[in-house]
Amino acid sequence: MIESKHWRHVFKLDPDKPISDEELEEVCESGTDAIIVGGTYGVTDEKVIELLGRIRRYALPCVLEVSRKEAIVPGFDHYFVPLVLNASNPEWILKPHHRAVKEFGTMIPWEDVSVVGYCVLNPRSAVAELTHSETSLSFEDVVAYGRLAAHMLKVPYFYLEYSGTLGDARLVREVYQALKRETDIHLFYGGGITTGSHAEAMLNGADTIVVGNVIYEDLKQALQTVPQRK
Ligand SMILES: CC(C)=CCC/C(C)=C/CC/C(C)=C/CC/C(C)=C/CC/C(C)=C/CC/C(C)=C/CC/C(C)=C/COP(=O)(O)OP(=O)(O)O
Ligand SMILES: O=P(O)(O)OC[C@@H](O)CO
Ligand SMILES: [Mg+2]
């Protein structure tokens, strides 16, 4: 079982983006709590296997965020299965999941699989475009998706996904506070974190922050987002 409830910071590595051994070592030895492997486009099983093998040189937990059934590979500590709660293209709500469950059948290690309810908020992100996410949402809309995830779907994680852009820290914090008053759902925040102060601000409104693109744009800056342990 992964100890994700205690994670404060995770790096998300995209199998479709190059990273050198030296850079990967800095990421894995940065003090981050875990690595998520995920991306929307260009994710193949070969690329996932190659990246997983390299991450396995280090002791930290590694989770696959499943984006395509063709790129599911064994050997991860855990699997996060996204449910895009605000997808308006019905093709994306449960069809890929149905196809994967039909194909893998009894081979699925369900104890190692968690469903993550996503609320996608950057209209220009790859995931928003793919799933036609309805991103013009009010605070009340976002909280309603969180409540739906926690009370109706009973999923363990709710992910505020601003992929590629920094969200509104106040809105994120208010959503967090509203949900924590009535549920113990674990809140991930991801999107646009490129500095230590972004990380600090978003940690006021999330259990775990996810840092992705800046790894590939400015690794030194990315390393600054890892909270200092006291
Ligand atoms: C044998 C074995 C090991 C079995 C375990 C397999 C397993 C986990 C089985 C479970 C079965 C199951 C239900 C699988 C689901 C399959 C599936 C294809 C689901 C679809 C998920 C989905 C809705 C994908 C849409 C895209 C999405 C949400 C991707 C997540 C990644 C994400 C949000 C990326 C962020 O965007 P990014 O790409 O970074 O954006 P930029 O490019 O703009 O940076
Ligand atoms: O790539 P960035 O913008 O850091 O976002 C992280 C993560 O939420 C993407 O799924
Ligand atoms: Mg990305």
Side-chain angles (χ1 to χ4, degrees):
M1 200 54 204
I2 48 161
E3 296 292 329
S4 53
K5 296 278 162 183
H6 303 297
W7 296 348
R8 297 291 282 148
H9 178 282
V10 304
F11 277 127
K12 188 184 283 191
L13 292 178
D14 187 332
D16 195 38
K17 293 185 180 162
I19 186 163
S20 69
D21 284 346
E22 293 72 26
E23 290 165 339
L24 187 63
E25 179 172 354
E26 291 202 72
V27 166
C28 293
E29 299 201 332
S30 61
T32 190
D33 294 302
I35 301 290
I36 295 179
V37 171
T40 301
Y41 291 126
V43 180
T44 63
D45 55 348
E46 287 95 346
K47 291 178 194 167
V48 173
I49 290 168
E50 199 256 346
L51 183 57
L52 174 64
R54 293 171 65 207
I55 296 167
R56 282 301 191 215
R57 297 174 191 153
Y58 306 94
L60 75 181
C62 188
V63 175
L64 180 67
E65 180 187 56
V66 178
S67 54
R68 303 175 59 225
K69 79 173 162 50
E70 293 75 13
I72 296 176
V73 304
F76 281 86
D77 297 306
H78 206 78
Y79 297 84
F80 283 163
V81 171
L83 263 192
V84 181
L85 302 169
N86 57 328
S88 69
N89 181 346
E91 277 293 317
W92 280 100
I93 299 187
L94 274 181
K95 283 198 180 167
H97 311 75
H98 177 259
R99 283 193 286 266
V101 173
K102 191 172 169 195
E103 182 172 324
F104 286 99
T106 56
M107 283 157 55
I108 299 174
W110 287 109
E111 64 286 4
D112 298 328
V113 176
S114 296
V115 177
V116 180
Y118 281 68
C119 185
V120 174
L121 290 156
N122 175 10
R124 280 174 296 281
S125 63
V127 58
E129 283 169 10
L130 180 72
T131 63
H132 299 184
S133 300
E134 199 185 334
T135 55
S136 297
L137 300 179
S138 64
F139 163 76
E140 288 77 15
D141 289 323
V142 179
V143 171
Y145 277 122
R147 288 190 171 127
L148 201 144
H151 298 301
M152 213 178 112
L153 302 175
K154 302 200 184 299
V155 301
Y157 304 100
F158 183 52
Y159 193 139
L160 287 181
E161 176 60 283
Y162 279 89
S163 179
T165 191
L166 192 68
D168 173 350
R170 198 168 133 199
L171 178 131
V172 172
R173 191 176 57 251
E174 286 175 4
V175 169
Y176 180 79
Q177 288 167 344
L179 292 177
K180 289 290 170 174
R181 275 197 284 276
E182 58 185 88
T183 86
D184 64 357
I185 198 161
H186 187 98
L187 206 113
F188 282 108
Y189 169 84
I193 296 177
T194 60
T195 67
S197 50
H198 291 163
E200 213 174 295
M202 290 309 182
L203 273 168
N204 287 324
D207 295 299
T208 308
I209 55 168
V210 182
V211 176
N213 290 350
V214 69
I215 301 167
Y216 302 95
E217 290 154 6
D218 187 338
L219 180 60
K220 276 203 168 51
Q221 280 290 118
L223 298 173
Q224 297 293 319
T225 67
V226 180
Q228 299 304 306
R229 313 280 156 189
K230 304 222 167 82

